Amino acid sequence: MKQRSTPITHHTVPVVTIDGPSGSGKGTIGQLLAKQLGWHFLDSGAMYRIAGLAATLKGVDLSQDASVAEVARAMRVQFVPAGPGEPVRVVLDGHDVGDELRTEEGGRRASLVAALPGVREALLEKQRAFRQAPGLVADGRDMGTTVFPDAILKIYLTASAELRAERRYKQLKEKGFDANLPRLLDEIRERDQRDAERTASPLKPAPDASILDSSPLSISEVVDRIAALLQTRRADCSW
Ligand code: C5P
């Protein structure tokens, strides 16, 4: 019998997952941590936002799992690094769509399509493809539970809904968008509920996740705590 060579897997590439509800600071913290480590970064929420936008642009009903999944599978997405201090450019089928993604409507569409099992399946391999040497920091809702269950370190980041709404309000205002605090709080609660109650990959901490409440901490304090946890894990795993 012919001997099969060992398949090349990405499993030697370490992953740190940061999951949690919207506005917990995952994105900012994950990007800073990735930069500090010199690792890649996956904003998985952007994948769902892009799928929602791509389906809307094609006139597909966002409740139709098979049709949205088909769009998600076919879409060509590029995350293009921008200049220092500038957000990464998101290019969908050749068009820059960054601004359309970060709106509240973009988040609402994302959470609708994220509840569809076929869409989640369609995006699974696209997300796993980000696992490249020397390492990956992955931010989302199910990074530690479903996408990278073998991650070296899993963080579940929380903060109160009120604080998250306030942070989002400030963020939107700074970017020159219109924002209404009570409405943002309602939308955050609605989105949390939909994310936690869906059957496909609901928002919940992995059993082996470290739970971190970011409410009393600054961004750099959270990054430092995660870096310290990673240091301990590295020592335990000897890599
Ligand atoms: O993180 P962000 O707010 O960009 O995510 C938008 C929406 O995408 C979330 O409300 C959630 O419904 C969905 N999502 C998800 N699984 C992920 C990342 C995001 O279901 N891993």
Side-chain angles (χ1 to χ4, degrees):
M1 200 166 69
K2 220 173 148 192
Q3 182 125 30
R4 282 167 81 199
S5 58
T6 313
I8 300 167
T9 66
H10 292 292
H11 295 284
T12 47
V13 177
V15 180
V16 172
T17 58
I18 308 181
D19 289 306
S22 19
S24 55
K26 292 172 291 139
T28 311
I29 286 155
Q31 282 181 57
L32 284 171
L33 181 70
K35 199 167 169 202
Q36 190 171 306
L37 295 168
W39 288 10
H40 299 278
F41 175 70
L42 165 62
D43 172 2
S44 63
M47 302 293 276
Y48 288 94
R49 288 173 185 262
I50 297 166
L53 175 65
T56 303
L57 292 175
K58 290 208 156 33
V60 169
D61 178 344
L62 297 189
S63 67
Q64 294 304 307
D65 192 0
S67 318
V68 183
E70 198 181 314
V71 174
R73 217 168 283 119
M75 68 190 191
R76 285 180 302 115
V77 179
Q78 290 164 284
F79 292 91
V80 183
E86 286 173 34
V88 167
R89 279 177 49 233
V90 184
V91 180
L92 165 65
D93 294 332
H95 303 283
D96 194 325
V97 293
D99 288 346
E100 283 146 276
L101 294 184
R102 300 316 312 176
T103 60
E104 290 312 296
E105 176 57 13
R108 192 192 66 85
R109 279 194 301 244
S111 112
L112 286 175
V113 302
L116 307 172
V119 173
R120 301 201 75 86
E121 181 63 35
L123 293 182
L124 199 55
E125 286 315 312
K126 280 192 160 63
Q127 295 173 82
R128 288 186 174 149
F130 280 78
R131 190 173 196 167
Q132 303 278 342
L136 174 70
V137 177
D139 140 25
R141 305 293 189 291
D142 62 342
M143 298 295 100
T145 50
T146 308
V147 184
F148 303 108
D150 63 338
I152 178 131
L153 177 68
K154 300 179 185 180
I155 303 292
Y156 189 84
L157 205 59
T158 60
S160 70
E162 288 75 12
L163 193 79
R164 289 186 281 129
E166 261 171 51
R167 286 178 182 163
R168 189 82 189 109
Y169 178 80
K170 279 194 201 140
Q171 242 177 26
L172 287 170
K173 282 282 179 191
E174 274 166 22
K175 285 182 187 160
F177 287 116
D178 225 10
N180 172 310
L181 188 57
R183 196 173 332 130
L184 279 174
L185 182 58
D186 282 349
E187 280 166 359
I188 279 194
R189 288 196 171 125
E190 200 181 302
R191 195 128 64 91
D192 281 357
Q193 193 177 356
R194 192 159 44 214
D195 289 349
E197 288 178 354
R198 67 177 180 226
T199 40
S201 278
L203 171 66
K204 64 163 193 248
D208 50 347
S210 302
I211 298 181
L212 210 58
D213 184 350
S214 73
S215 312
L217 301 171
S218 69
I219 287 171
S220 61
E221 282 170 330
V222 179
V223 174
D224 289 350
R225 282 205 191 186
I226 301 176
L229 285 169
L230 180 61
Q231 200 65 34
T232 313
R233 289 289 293 141
R234 274 178 147 161
D236 290 350
C237 303
S238 63
W239 58 261

